[in-house]
């Protein structure tokens, strides 16, 4: 099974990335069928190709630096197209703390045993709260109960980091990440497209930990984040008049209650 593992860095040294530290210590680098792709979006070249190769000590490492800060959607689409002959891709951000042994063997067996599943998702926690997978309709909601294994829900969504995708299915159905979206809602937009074709997804026995809370944000920062999320949601529903109107109503209510 040929798998590519994409990590997007931003203003972070490779040795300081929790995700890269995990990959280095995992069994992913024991499989010559794997490729690790490090895409550095930092404005300056704080990482170099030689540093990256020295860090991993693995022959199948690709390093790319784009100081212009390419949109995440374009990064994902570019790598998917470049590695279209591979079986699967897993997308990471730079600061995921991951708990699992035999990571590579686990994913290889998943692809073999769950041959009718195309979207595999880790459980992503921030503190004690499960943030992903979740539910999305106009705004996001948490699952009350979610078990490992095959799940099916027409309103499911997920955070991009840790998402494991079967490439043949993605390419056969011309699925892609929306490059009109710069940051927020990229993952939601993509999953909305996926669930129209197939509402099944596999919850992996893998836990990721991120700091996704808004506790350290100022009131204005929280409002800006919500505004960007609303703008992204409007783009998701731009061709669905009913849902677009609901988003506008939700936006109005947020403004009335001074949350936006």
């Amino acid at each position: 099974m040929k798998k590519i593992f994409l990590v997007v860095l931003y203003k972070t040294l490779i040795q300081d990335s929790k995700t890269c530290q995990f990959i280095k210590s995992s069994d992913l680098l024991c499989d010559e069928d794997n490729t690790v792709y490090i895409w550095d979006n930092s404005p300056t070249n704080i990482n170099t190709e030689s540093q990256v190769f020295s860090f991993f000590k693995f022959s199948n490492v690709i390093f790319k630096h784009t100081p212009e800060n390419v949109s995440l959607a374009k990064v994902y689409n570019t790598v998917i197209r470049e590695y279209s002959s591979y079986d699967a891709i897993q997308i990471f951000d730079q600061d995921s703390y991951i708990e699992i042994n035999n990571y590579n063997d686990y994913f290889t067996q998943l692809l073999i045993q769950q041959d009718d599943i195309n979207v595999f998702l880790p459980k992503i926690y921030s503190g004690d709260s499960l943030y992903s997978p979740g539910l999305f309709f106009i705004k996001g909601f948490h699952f009350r109960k979610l078990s490992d294994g095959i799940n099916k829900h027409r309103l499911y969504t997920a955070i991009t980091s840790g998402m494991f995708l079967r490439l043949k299915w993605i390419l056969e159905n011309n699925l892609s990440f929306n490059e009109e979206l710069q940051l927020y809602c990229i993952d939601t937009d993509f999953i909305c497209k996926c669930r129209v074709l197939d509402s099944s997804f596999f919850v992996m026995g893998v836990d990721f930990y991120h700091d996704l809370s808004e506790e350290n944000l100022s009131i204005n920062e929280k409002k800006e984040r919500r505004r960007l999320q609303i703008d992204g949601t409007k783009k998701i529903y731009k061709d669905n008049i009913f849902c677009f109107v609901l988003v506008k109503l939700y936006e109005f209510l947020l403004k009335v209650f001074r949350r936006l």
Side-chain angles (χ1 to χ4, degrees):
M1 288 286 181
K2 295 179 73 65
K3 305 180 291 298
I4 181 151
F5 298 89
L6 170 65
V7 184
V8 182
L9 299 179
Y10 185 72
K11 293 184 178 180
T12 298
L13 293 169
I14 191 162
Q15 62 266 28
D16 293 334
S17 162
K18 292 180 182 178
T19 307
C20 291
Q21 290 170 9
F22 167 75
I23 291 175
K24 181 180 179 179
S25 65
S26 75
D27 62 340
L28 293 180
L29 305 186
C30 298
D31 189 340
E32 290 297 326
D33 282 337
N34 291 337
T35 295
V36 176
Y37 199 126
I38 305 299
W39 190 306
D40 190 350
N41 253 338
S42 305
T44 58
N45 56 341
I46 57 175
N47 297 293
T48 66
E49 188 173 55
S50 61
Q51 289 171 332
V52 171
F53 275 90
S54 177
F55 177 80
F56 286 112
K57 295 181 172 61
F58 181 60
S59 58
N60 296 339
V61 175
I62 307 297
F63 175 72
K64 186 169 187 173
H65 177 225
T66 49
E68 65 271 26
N69 192 10
V70 175
S71 73
L72 290 176
K74 187 171 183 178
V75 171
Y76 303 154
N77 289 335
T78 299
V79 176
I80 286 171
R81 288 194 298 268
E82 287 180 359
Y83 289 84
S84 58
S85 63
Y86 275 48
D87 295 291
I89 183 172
Q90 186 167 32
I91 298 169
F92 291 103
D93 67 4
Q94 64 189 17
D95 60 357
S96 298
Y97 175 73
I98 306 161
E99 291 185 347
I100 187 174
N101 295 320
N102 302 319
Y103 197 71
N104 184 63
D105 289 343
Y106 178 77
F107 281 119
T108 301
Q109 290 305 310
L110 270 186
L111 288 172
I112 295 171
Q113 295 171 4
Q114 306 295 333
D115 59 355
D116 58 343
I117 297 293
N118 302 295
V119 178
F120 301 84
L121 304 171
K123 291 170 290 184
I124 298 182
Y125 291 89
S126 180
D128 296 326
S129 300
L130 176 65
Y131 273 74
S132 179
L135 299 168
F136 176 80
F137 179 70
I138 308 304
K139 67 182 297 293
F141 302 91
H142 297 297
F143 273 105
R144 291 185 178 180
K145 185 178 181 181
L146 188 66
S147 58
D148 292 357
I150 298 174
N151 289 265
K152 191 178 182 70
H153 201 292
R154 63 186 181 86
L155 295 179
Y156 90 90
T157 189
I159 293 171
T160 308
S161 186
M163 192 181 291
F164 195 57
L165 304 168
R166 200 180 292 272
L167 282 173
K168 182 179 180 181
W169 182 74
I170 297 298
L171 294 163
E172 285 181 345
N173 289 286
N174 294 315
L175 292 170
S176 62
F177 290 88
N178 188 346
E179 295 183 18
E180 292 182 6
L181 300 170
Q182 291 300 308
L183 183 59
Y184 291 100
C185 296
I186 291 173
D187 41 17
T188 302
D189 177 83
F190 180 76
I191 290 294
C192 284
K193 295 173 186 174
C194 290
R195 71 192 192 193
V196 168
L197 295 169
D198 185 358
S199 60
S200 299
F201 60 102
F202 191 95
V203 177
M204 303 182 290
V206 181
D207 294 345
F208 280 44
Y209 294 88
H210 294 291
D211 182 8
L212 299 170
S213 67
E214 295 188 344
E215 293 178 2
N216 297 322
L217 298 180
S218 68
I219 292 176
N220 287 336
E221 286 173 330
K222 291 177 182 179
K223 287 183 177 181
E224 177 64 9
R225 177 178 287 190
R226 292 191 195 106
R227 186 187 67 77
L228 292 171
Q229 289 170 337
I230 288 290
D231 287 347
T233 304
K234 285 191 288 189
K235 288 179 180 178
I236 290 174
Y237 288 128
K238 66 180 181 180
D239 296 323
N240 185 321
I241 296 175
F242 175 73
C243 290
F244 186 83
V245 170
L246 288 180
V247 176
K248 293 289 289 183
L249 176 60
Y250 177 59
E251 181 181 31
F252 172 75
L253 292 174
L254 287 176
K255 288 180 179 177
V256 167
F257 290 101
R258 299 184 179 180
R259 300 288 302 278
L260 197 66

